[in-house]
Amino acid sequence: MNFAVALNPPDRRAASERVVTGASLADDVVRDRAGLEALADQWAGLEARSDGLTLFQGLGWGRAVFDFEDERNNKGFDPVIATLTDGQRLVALLPLERISEKGQTALVPLGHAFGQYADALIAPELDPREAMRRLVRAALIAAPADTLRFLKVRGGSALMRGLPQKVVSTGYEEGAPYVDLGAYEDFEAYFRTIKSKTRKNMRNARNRLEREGTLTHVVAQTPSERLVVIERTLSGRAERLKEQGLSSRAFRDAGFSGFCRSLAARDDIGVAAFSFVHDGRPIAEQWGFVHQGRYYAFVASRDFSNSDESPGKLHLGEILRAVAAEGATGCDLGVPVMPYKMTWATTAVPVRDYALPVTARGLAIVWIWDVLTRPMLKKLVLAMPRGLRTSLMKLAGLGG
């Protein structure tokens, strides 16, 4: 993947000055790969002019999910991609899939087990509340469900602005640290905003590592190099979760590792992989995505035997320097807020989970499980010893 291409896509924006009303829109629902491909050019065009959209609602992500589910012969894959058009032009799209869980059917974001944020594509000239109303109605007519679930909705996103009033907030508010590189002339100008004491501490840590061996930062250049980093980070992250007695929604899904590996050679998703190497051995690695001028951190791992030197913090600085050199205007470091991320972040975007009950069953499950029981159990489980915690987190579905 060429950083410059992924971080600086062609400007295809053509925002209309008029406001499109609900009466002028026609809705439809795509349920298969042929329908997705028929929609591809318009999907890409809407994606290009949807401000703040993450790649997890993009055409490349949609294709990757369809390809992976087909590859693993998932007969239960049930895509539900709701669309709105104004004449011949696509103006809104909500990519979903239908799943069965906890005795109910739910509409969730396409690739929900693998993605980082839920969102919708809504043209800037549309009222997001009206667009979401139409999209949700179309999706439910085509694929009836008890609940719609939107995990990790970013504050200020099109989906957040379009959520209906009766939506239920589930869980706790989290934060996604973000680095606004576009606010500075270059990386060095941004770097000077980091506290001088912090810069000194990082410089001293780096000097200690360099006294013990050669320290290099490696950016993967080929699909095979990216695949190596992806596999190592997945293995390292899974082992770390096991040591901590924790779980996560992604790592509980048997297909997550396979899906991640399938991305290494794709040319429709910008995958970037980085290794911080000390004396020939990676001590911190991370990979993520580049999309519309932004880098999205996805999976990271590090050697905890070097914790005193904060390799994760040092490596993040190298990653930011590398993507800034290729023209990145922002870096989303992902949920949750962590000290090493906040060393570099210029802000943290609020993130929340939401559910929209549709049937009486859905309403009961959302309030009894998601609102009342799950947060309480998660708090109790996290206070338990690690050994007991691992099995209980998996059993109750409390991680992630």
Side-chain angles (χ1 to χ4, degrees), residues 113-156:
F114 315 133
Q116 189 152 274
Y117 299 117
D119 206 347
L121 289 81
I122 301 177
E125 65 271 20
L126 260 64
D127 171 56
R129 184 68 60 84
E130 172 64 14
M132 277 296 298
R133 184 187 70 81
R134 294 287 300 271
L135 289 167
V136 167
R137 185 182 70 175
L140 287 170
I141 290 173
D146 296 303
T147 310
L148 280 88
R149 294 184 176 277
F150 300 111
L151 299 183
K152 293 182 172 56
V153 181
R154 300 166 75 251

Side-chain angles (χ1 to χ4, degrees), residues 31 69-70 72-80 97-100 106 112:
R31 305 297 303 274
E69 299 298 1
D70 180 65
R72 67 173 175 172
N73 196 30
N74 182 3
K75 300 299 185 182
F77 179 53
D78 191 11
V80 185
E97 61 178 289
R98 184 167 56 174
I99 63 171
S100 296
H112 73 108

Side-chain angles (χ1 to χ4, degrees), residues 312-333:
K313 183 187 299 184
L314 295 176
H315 186 213
L316 185 51
E318 294 293 334
I319 293 170
L320 294 174
R321 186 186 298 275
V323 298
E326 296 295 340
T329 59
C331 298
D332 189 310
L333 305 182

